[in-house]
Amino acid sequence: MCGIFAVSGKENILEDLFLGAFYLQHRGQQYCGLSTWDGDSIKIRTHRGLVRATFTGDMAGMEGTMGISHTSLKDRQPLKLDSKMGEFTICFEGNLINRNEIVSELKKQGHSFYSDSDIEVVAKLVAQGDSFVDGVEKMAKKVRGAYALVLLTKGRIIAARDKYAFRPMIIGQRDGATAIASESCSFVNLGFTILRDVKPGEILEIKGSEVTTHKIIPAEFTQYCSFEWVYTANVASTIDGLSVDIARRNLGVALARRYPVKVDVVAAVPNSGIGHAIGYAQESKIPYDNVFIKYDYASRSYTQPTQEERDREAKIKLIPVPAKIKDRSVVICDDSIVRGTQMKNDLVVKLRKNGVREIHARVACPPLKAPCLYGVATRSKKELVAHEKSVEQLKEYIGLDGLAFNTLEDLGQALGRPLDQICTSCWTDVYRV
Ligand code: SF4
């Protein structure tokens, strides 16, 4: 998973570029990078670590009127290439399912590769075009999978979103400047207002603050990633017309309607369970309270690169609030259950130690049964506890007094979309792309 930001304006946009990436930090914490065009040359700088920690005090010489930036879970971006069309830098989010076939084909044509990253493949495919737009179109027709990308060349930014629209991408405008981002939460404090989402299959260009659509690659159906609304995206974002906050409340409301329970308090596994819990509390009329606090300096456990780091982060991030737990029955809302170990070894243990009377869990999405092939996380089937356990077995395994998951139908209704327009592979194990 990654965050992408691009901005073009009349004045120096470096601060916007830096903050745009900073507000997308939740989409990837391992690497970050900026690239700018100053009217003369394209500059690039990348770091391992967080945007604010690594770029503060290290942006001198990066000033420019156009730029792209990136936060990543797995590789260093942007990538810079020199091509027959001139130099360019490129950032990408997604996953190429047919990467191996494309790489073998390119090797036969004489290309060499220095990494196993998708961005290198995407950049090399784009560089084969007769123009950058043509290169992006050729790449789009060649790859199978999910992507959102921005490309910076001399005086122009090209952006593209895959034809199924798996990964989010949105355009914002401010007086004399245009930005493109993975999520609209990066716009608000920079003064950008939403112009529109990038359309499925759209290839567009930004010059100054002008946005021009060059191409729409047609698709038979869309596959908006449902998990963006359930967990991945920031709660302040609006994705493809639906507020993440409203989507999470809708999911909590659906849980309260279908699986009511008599308890003293509704609580969240913070932060991503908060919206779901508020929805549950509003619908059930049971008070919402802070049973756990997420320590501000802990990271998102789901987006850590290794299982060891995910376990460590999960263990340290939640601090129980003893006064809110003792002798009370609790329904705790979470976005999803991956391996169940965090709930079993951490959350339930902390609640029982602090004298909870009953623990019921309500989960915003159906049981996760299959890995994501479209760039969100790399889980194997055997890591997903619901793949081999029923809900009743899972309840016993975790040590809960009650457990229920939203149905797929309720998920679709909460997101306001027919199920055939959203990706549900996480839960169905059916991959349409
Ligand atoms: Fe999103 Fe899941 Fe589909 Fe991946 S498989 S795109 S996480 S809904």
Side-chain angles (χ1 to χ4, degrees):
M1 201 169 80
C2 309
I4 288 175
F5 192 83
V7 58
S8 172
K10 293 186 194 118
E11 325 236 309
N12 180 19
I13 48 67
L14 184 55
E15 182 72 4
D16 290 322
L17 197 62
F18 163 72
L19 288 174
F22 169 66
Y23 285 119
L24 296 173
Q25 192 76 81
H26 59 284
R27 299 184 72 85
Q29 296 96 40
Q30 302 307 312
Y31 297 98
C32 53
L34 313 178
S35 174
T36 50
W37 157 251
D38 63 1
D40 181 39
S41 60
I42 294 175
K43 290 163 285 184
I44 183 168
R45 196 167 296 169
T46 62
H47 284 298
R48 184 183 180 116
L50 303 178
V51 176
R52 207 165 169 204
T54 59
F55 273 103
T56 302
D58 187 31
M59 291 199 290
M62 291 293 290
E63 296 76 12
T65 52
M66 291 187 140
I68 59 176
S69 55
H70 194 256
T71 59
S72 172
L73 189 57
K74 59 179 182 191
D75 50 17
R76 230 175 241 269
Q77 298 186 32
L79 188 71
K80 188 173 182 181
L81 246 69
D82 198 3
S83 71
K84 61 181 186 250
M85 298 163 286
E87 283 187 338
F88 69 98
T89 50
I90 185 166
C91 307
F92 159 93
E93 178 192 17
N95 190 46
L96 309 185
I97 297 168
N98 59 341
R99 181 187 182 278
N100 291 347
E101 294 151 42
I102 297 171
V103 167
S104 324
E105 202 181 310
L106 289 175
K107 279 182 182 167
K108 279 183 202 146
Q109 292 170 18
H111 289 272
S112 317
F113 289 82
Y114 70 88
S115 73
D116 60 359
S117 69
D118 286 352
I119 181 68
E120 194 187 351
V121 179
V122 169
K124 282 185 171 148
L125 287 173
V126 171
Q128 292 191 323
D130 296 326
S131 66
F132 285 112
V133 171
D134 179 59
V136 172
E137 187 182 349
K138 284 191 171 127
M139 179 281 302
K141 288 180 174 163
K142 189 106 193 156
V143 304
R144 188 161 68 84
Y147 66 83
L149 69 83
V150 286
L151 179 157
L152 174 70
T153 181
K154 294 187 176 179
R156 298 160 74 200
I157 290 171
I158 312 285
R161 186 178 186 189
D162 77 71
K163 61 183 180 176
Y164 305 105
F166 279 105
R167 306 269 62 87
M169 208 177 198
I170 192 158
I171 310 170
Q173 282 191 319
R174 191 181 65 194
D175 195 20
T178 297
I180 291 200
S182 299
E183 289 184 42
S184 61
C185 65
S186 58
F187 291 161
V188 192
N189 284 350
L190 303 183
F192 287 92
T193 51
I194 293 174
L195 178 68
R196 63 174 174 86
D197 295 284
V198 176
K199 295 176 188 133
E202 184 173 4
I203 302 172
L204 62 87
E205 175 177 343
I206 305 175
K207 233 181 191 176
S209 60
E210 290 280 306
V211 181
T212 310
T213 299
H214 282 290
K215 203 92 199 173
I216 305 268
I217 313 265
E220 323 72 68
F221 53 87
T222 54
Q223 288 284 274
Y224 300 106
C225 170
S226 316
F227 209 54
E228 290 280 352
W229 289 286
V230 173
Y231 169 80
T232 315
N234 185 279
V235 78
S237 292
T238 295
I239 294 180
D240 292 299
L242 176 62
S243 150
V244 174
D245 186 50
I246 290 172
R248 291 189 188 162
R249 277 165 206 243
N250 291 348
L251 288 160
V253 167
L255 282 167
R257 284 187 186 150
R258 197 176 283 276
Y259 307 110
V261 59
K262 279 193 176 167
V263 286
D264 299 319
V265 63
V266 179
V269 179
N271 287 330
S272 47
I274 292 174
H276 309 304
I278 292 174
Y280 196 100
Q282 285 174 344
E283 182 64 18
S284 65
K285 312 273 187 295
I286 299 169
Y288 171 86
D289 215 338
N290 288 324
V291 159
F292 286 104
I293 300 294
K294 178 182 171 277
Y295 188 56
D296 285 346
Y297 299 93
S299 297
R300 299 185 106 183
S301 44
Y302 195 89
T303 56
Q304 297 304 305
T306 66
Q307 194 53 54
E308 202 181 8
E309 286 168 89
R310 287 195 282 272
D311 286 345
R312 183 171 180 276
E313 211 57 39
K315 197 159 185 178
I316 62 176
K317 75 175 183 183
L318 295 182
I319 305 178
V321 185
K324 303 289 178 65
I325 299 172
K326 191 160 173 48
D327 296 331
R328 295 172 102 190
S329 53
V330 176
V331 61
I332 191 138
C333 298
D334 204 353
D335 53 272
S336 56
I337 292 182
V338 181
R339 295 187 314 145
T341 46
Q342 187 205 356
M343 212 174 244
K344 176 182 166 69
N345 299 336
D346 186 56
L347 195 134
V348 167
V349 171
K350 284 171 180 168
L351 288 172
R352 300 264 183 235
K353 260 192 190 163
N354 283 283
V356 75
R357 204 149 37 84
E358 272 176 45
I359 315 167
H360 298 264
R362 295 290 180 267
V363 185
C365 65
L368 291 169
K369 290 189 185 287
C372 175
L373 303 185
Y374 309 115
V376 170
T378 48
R379 297 274 190 276
S380 64
K381 256 185 200 168
K382 63 175 194 290
E383 285 177 280
L384 301 169
V385 70
H387 180 64
E388 50 192 32
K389 287 186 173 25
S390 67
V391 175
E392 188 56 30
Q393 287 168 331
L394 201 48
K395 184 193 92 176
E396 296 301 323
Y397 168 73
I398 295 173
L400 296 162
D401 299 296
L403 171 65
F405 294 79
N406 256 329
T407 63
L408 209 51
E409 290 65 33
D410 285 348
L411 174 79
Q413 274 189 12
L415 303 186
R417 285 176 163 82
L419 286 174
D420 63 358
Q421 284 184 20
I422 54 178
C423 178
T424 55
S425 306
C426 283
W427 307 289
T428 58
D429 202 4
V430 173
Y431 300 91
R432 295 179 71 196
V433 174

